[in-house]
């Protein structure tokens, strides 16, 4: 059974032709479909296996000479993950399927003829979690192949890889692990990773701003490489994707991939996990490509983060939501981000380690001898262990300064405690940091050391696995002082290795695991005095205290493994897309259908909103002046004697007359239905004349209170309503104040007065309850019962009243019409039956409820035309709809409406309610266009001022 259904289809035309959505816009999302047994397509920057090419042509490979072996044979570009060059290589000419000699293969390696595969160093928790999911779901791994070495350990340039090499790698990777490699040119890979990822994104996400001023050319090249590589990944995923699969993308290297995928796979289930920290909006806004990065990320259905402790465990979630609100203007919800109708779920999923693998490896035969050697070397000393990568955010400098403060403050510990610090080289070299750390180590050793004692033992190198686990096992204290870290699995591995020793763990509160490891001793790495004190306190803990703390830590590590993390994320993704909290897609306006219906009708009613419909939304309301080509189309439509054209706006009379008064035969409704002016007349009719406006004083008082406290907000006074605008205020604070103001109004005013609040685009409007745009639509329908074509266009929540009135009329006519084939305009008459207020109210309530609960899951029913025209679109369950429509009695009709409301709103195919916005926007309209310009073009086509 499918967990979700396909989005409903819509007719295509030149208006709805596929276009490439730029990164400055959101890609369109449709209803997600999952198969009964979906495959998992896992996407990481690099594949989990390191690859070695075996050249069987000669003992001295031509690949070596092409890649930097100097005259003396010194490896000048040896791959960092290879500690020694390959010495045992088969020289025979064999096929790709010939196995590699077993006596040469090390643990974790797979031989496959001309290529050798071994587990890549690092990210073991990530790959272990992914591997565990493969027990339940078929898993495909996609990633960059990374640096490829030859049999001597030299890196092979991408230009020297032949097609046969690539085929050998592809075949071997797919056969062994179902891995799909992506091959990149060296320049592209460097621009993507070293240029943009490590040069721009990584510092920003770790709260480090750039301090070098450039002319921007290098940044542009790196950005172009970043986009290019992300597109390569997206293309590779699309090639492997089958309908119903799950796509899981990892980390900041691939932030644009969700957006690129969404354009080609609008119904795919896409999850994204962010392994790095996410900065506050004040930091993120410094990124020049901030809009593009966020839109790329929001192509996902679900975004996952590590838990953090520094403020709350949802700090990263709050930062992402704030950025989406402040930078891109999207609304946030308690569960995620409302990206133009699509809910992107955001949650925390603390990653763990593969506890079984660590337990097995720490008990390997080679670990115990190394433990004995280390104990013998440091007999009688208390050992503090630190293991970090050479990165500024890992806090190695802070650790050394705190240790120096510890030796200074507690002189009795001098000669009794040693710090063993292993600093593994990073992929991008940092010689300044390396020199600084070396200077600090020399300074501490020179101050507190002697001929027979060295307090700090610093090893700037990779160490093998047995040495690593031996070091963690014999440590008396584990010390981690990261200043900003998305995840730190060393702390978890330390807990696993301390099951006999129970050594305490000192952990920076800025690491990704800090929020989960409550049994650790938390420190602020910038507080050297505090860290020194905690080191001393840790040495004074009793065995009972250390055992209790370790039990708490171990219980968490064993319960929250990498396998738990992966399955938890995938389970949440399946649950969220299966209960998708968003509307089904509204079909894109079909140009062929609307033009056909327009020209075949003898009398037409056209109704338009103004702001956001006939003109784009402007920050300053006075700047939304009409455009010349729009006025030309509107004038031509209004001058057609077969047309009745109205502008139904929230603007006041003065503005409408000033901007649109020159259009003859145009009807106006101002202030959301408070005033009307018939076409060809100069007289305004006040529909609120008999209403008591005394409520304004109370509302003005509340609006003034929030205006004084919200910079950039202002009050717009209208004759029958009041509007509080906050479009020019800070987006986040303005939205917060609007909610507070709305709550204030609901509690203080709405409960005792006949008024209502309209939540618009960056504004709150208060008006009498009985006044809205829908009432104007009802009046016009009653005044012109013989129209054969209706077009109604709007863009915001106030226009939903118009769509609701049309939908209600369509429902009533659909359920009460009889077979009157002799009538020339049978369908129009069906829409416009005389109003029964009770039935209309009940119908509207049911439609509104259905819209809230499921937001049009199915396509609208289109009855067959009386003569000619385009064939109707028949959605699913249309037989049920037709059967309900044939019910004769009022009671049966109401029951029919109730059953239909949960499916779709029946619509006649000469009725076009058009919303401006995204296809997934929650709306009662039956068509959509994405911008005012597209609607104006349709108007021009209908009027004949624009060629189709």
């Amino acid at each position: 059974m499918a967990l979700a259904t396909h989005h409903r289809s819509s007719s295509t035309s030149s208006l709805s032709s596929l276009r490439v959505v730029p990164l400055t816009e959101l890609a369109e999302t449709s209803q997600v479909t999952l198969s009964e047994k979906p495959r998992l397509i896992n996407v990481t920057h690099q594949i989990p296996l390191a690859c070695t090419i075996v050249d069987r042509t000669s003992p001295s490979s031509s690949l070596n000479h092409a890649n930097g072996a100097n005259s003396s044979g010194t490896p000048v570009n040896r791959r960092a993950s290879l500690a020694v060059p390959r010495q045992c290589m088969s020289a025979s000419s064999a096929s790709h399927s010939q196995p590699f000699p077993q006596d040469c293969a090390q643990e974790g390696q797979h031989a496959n003829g001309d290529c050798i595969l071994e587990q890549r160093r690092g990210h073991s928790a990530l790959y272990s979690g992914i591997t565990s999911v493969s027990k339940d779901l078929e898993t495909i791994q996609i990633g960059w192949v990374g640096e490829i070495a030859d049999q001597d350990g030299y890196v092979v340039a991408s230009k020297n890889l032949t097609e046969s090499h690539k085929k050998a790698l592809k075949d071997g990777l797919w056969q062994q692990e179902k891995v799909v490699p992506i091959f990149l040119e060296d320049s592209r890979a460097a621009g993507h990773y070293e240029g943009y990822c490590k040069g721009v994104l990584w510092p920003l996400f770790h709260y480090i701003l750039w301090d070098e001023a450039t002319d921007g050319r290098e940044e542009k090249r790196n950005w172009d490489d970043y986009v290019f590589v992300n597109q390569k990944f997206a293309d590779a995923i699309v090639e492997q994707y089958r309908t119903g699969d799950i796509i899981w993308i990892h980390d900041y290297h691939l932030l644009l991939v969700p957006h690129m995928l969404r354009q080609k796979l609008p119904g795919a289930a896409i999850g994204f996990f962010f392994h790095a920290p996410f900065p506050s909006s004040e930091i993120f806004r410094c990124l020049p490509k901030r809009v593009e990065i966020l839109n790329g990320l929001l192509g996902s259905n679900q975004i996952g983060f590590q838990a953090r402790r520094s403020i709350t465990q949802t700090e990263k979630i709050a930062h992402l939501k704030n950025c989406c609100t402040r930078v891109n203007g999207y609304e946030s919800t308690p569960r995620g981000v409302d990206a133009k109708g699509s809910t992107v779920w955001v949650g925390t999923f603390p990653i763990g380690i593969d506890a079984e693998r660590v337990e097995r490896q720490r008990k390997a035969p080679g670990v115990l001898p190394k433990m004995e050697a280390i104990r013998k070397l440091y007999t009688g000393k208390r050992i503090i262990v630190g293991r970090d990568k050479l990165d500024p955010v890992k806090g190695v400098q802070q650790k050394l300064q705190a240790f120096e403060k510890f030796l200074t403050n507690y002189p009795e510990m001098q000669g009794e405690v040693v710090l063993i610090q292993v600093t593994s080289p990073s992929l991008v070299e940092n010689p300044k940091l390396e020199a600084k750390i070396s200077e600090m180590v020399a300074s501490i050793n020179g101050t507190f050391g002697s001929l027979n004692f060295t307090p700090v033992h610093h090893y700037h190198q990779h160490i093998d696995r047995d040495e690593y686990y031996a070091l963690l096992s014999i440590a008396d204290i584990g010390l981690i002082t990261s200043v900003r870290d998305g995840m730190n699995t060393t702390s978890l591995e330390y807990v696993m290795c301390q099951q006999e020793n129970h050594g305490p763990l000192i952990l920076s509160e800025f690491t990704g695991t800090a929020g989960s490891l409550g049994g650790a001793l938390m420190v602020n790495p910038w507080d050297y005095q505090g860290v020194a004190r905690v080191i001393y306190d840790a040495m004074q803990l009793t065995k009972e205290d250390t055992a209790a703390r370790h039990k708490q830590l171990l219980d968490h590590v064993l319960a929250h493994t990498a396998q738990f993390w992966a399955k938890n994320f995938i389970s949440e993704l399946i649950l969220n897309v299966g209960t998708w909290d968003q509307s089904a897609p509204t079909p894109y306006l079909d140009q062929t259908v609307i033009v056909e219906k327009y020209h075949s009708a003898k009398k037409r009613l056209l109704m338009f909103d103004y702001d956001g419909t006939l003109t784009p939304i402007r920050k300053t309301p006075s700047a939304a002046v009409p455009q010349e080509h729009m006025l030309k189309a509107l004038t031509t439509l209004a001058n057609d004697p077969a047309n009745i054209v109205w502008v139904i706006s929230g603007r006041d009379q003065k503005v409408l007359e000033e901007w649109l008064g020159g259009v003859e035969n145009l009807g106006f409704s101002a202030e959301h239905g408070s005033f009307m002016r018939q076409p060809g007349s100069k007289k305004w009719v006040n529909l609120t004349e008999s209403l008591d406006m005394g409520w304004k004083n109370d509302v003005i008082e509340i609006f003034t209170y929030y205006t004084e406290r919200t910079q950039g907000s202002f009050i717009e006074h209208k004759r029958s309503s009041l509007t509080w605008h906050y479009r020019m205020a800070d987006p986040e604070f303005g939205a917060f104040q609007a909610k507070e103001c709305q709550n204030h109004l609901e509690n203080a005013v709405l409960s005792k007065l006949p008024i209502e609040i309209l939540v618009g685009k960056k504004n709150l409007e208060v008006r009498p309850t009985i006044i809205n745009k829908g009432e104007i639509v009802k009046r016009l329908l009653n005044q012109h019962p013989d129209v054969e074509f209706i077009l109604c266009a709007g863009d915001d929540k106030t226009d939903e009243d118009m769509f609701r009135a049309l939908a209600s009329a369509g429902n009533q006519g659909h359920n009460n019409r009889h077979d009157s084939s002799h009538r020339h305009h049978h369908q129009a008459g069906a829409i416009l039956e005389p109003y029964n207020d009770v039935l209309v109210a009940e119908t509207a309530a049911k439609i509104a409820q259905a819209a809230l609960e499921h937001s049009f899951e199915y396509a609208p029913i289109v009855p067959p035309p009386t003569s000619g025209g385009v064939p109707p679109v028949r959605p699913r369950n249309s037989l049920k709809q037709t059967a309900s429509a044939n019910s004769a009695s009022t009671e049966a009709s109401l029951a029919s409406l109730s059953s239909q409301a949960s499916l779709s709103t029946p619509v006649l195919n000469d009725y076009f309610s058009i919303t401006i916005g995204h296809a997934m926007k929650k709306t009662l309209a039956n068509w959509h266009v994405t911008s005012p310009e597209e609607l104006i073009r349709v108007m021009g086509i209908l009027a004949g001022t624009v060629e189709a």
Side-chain angles (χ1 to χ4, degrees), residues 606-615 617 630 634 646-651 656 660 669 672 761 773 791-799 802-803 914 916 935 939:
L606 292 82
M607 299 168 285
F608 303 98
D609 172 44
Y610 183 74
D611 290 280
T613 303
L614 295 181
T615 184
I617 293 290
M630 186 278 290
L634 189 64
W646 280 74
V647 172
I648 305 174
S649 173
R651 295 278 186 171
L656 292 178
L660 302 175
S669 173
H672 297 296
K761 292 182 177 178
K773 292 182 179 181
L791 187 155
C792 181
D795 71 303
D796 66 10
K797 295 180 181 178
T798 64
D799 300 313
M802 296 195 294
F803 303 150
I914 305 169
I916 313 298
L935 176 68
M939 293 169 58

Side-chain angles (χ1 to χ4, degrees), residues 121-124 384-391 394-396 399 419-425 457-459 461-465 467-469 471-472 475 477-482 485 487-491 493-494 505:
R121 183 187 296 273
H123 304 293
S124 58
I384 301 175
V385 169
R387 188 259 190 177
D388 305 276
K389 189 178 290 186
L390 187 66
D391 279 333
K394 295 300 182 180
V396 178
K399 183 185 301 184
L419 170 63
I420 303 176
Q421 176 63 42
V422 178
T423 309
S424 57
H457 295 257
H458 179 232
Y459 302 94
Q461 64 187 62
H462 290 291
I463 60 175
D464 66 31
R465 188 174 61 206
E467 290 176 336
Y468 173 63
Y469 286 120
L471 198 59
L472 294 184
I477 294 176
L479 182 58
I480 298 172
T481 55
S482 304
D485 204 354
M487 182 60 195
N488 191 297
T489 56
T490 300
S491 58
E493 291 166 336
Y494 174 80
L505 171 65

